[in-house]
Amino acid sequence: MLRCPDPGDARRKVLTLTKAGKKALDADRRQRVVVLADALEETLDEEDRRALAHALDLIDRISGSIRGGHSFSGEREFNTGAW
C-alpha cells in the first residue's frame, strides 16, 4: 500500500494498492476460488450444483434490482452503500 496525503484534506491519507499488493490479492483470490471449487465438487452432486447455480442467478437478479435503484416498500429503511 502507498500512503499519500489527501490533496483536499490534510488530515486524511489516500491509500493506493501497489502492483505487488494487487499481485498478492490476486493470488489469494485464485487460491480461494480453487478451495471453493474443490469443496463444491466434493460436497455437492450434480443436482445440488444446478440448484446452487439457479440460486446464484436469483441473487444476481435481486442485487441487480437494488443497484438499479428499485424502490422497496416496507418498514425497514436501509443504506445500500456503494452498490
Side-chain angles (χ1 to χ4, degrees), residues 5-41:
D6 183 331
D9 186 343
R11 299 168 296 174
R12 295 174 31 171
K13 300 290 182 193
V14 176
L15 301 177
T16 306
L17 189 60
T18 63
K19 287 182 183 181
K22 182 175 180 345
K23 186 176 177 180
L25 284 176
D26 289 344
D28 181 68
R29 182 173 293 122
R30 281 191 302 274
Q31 179 60 29
R32 289 173 185 267
V33 168
V34 168
V35 169
L36 181 57
D38 288 347
L40 292 173
E41 183 69 29

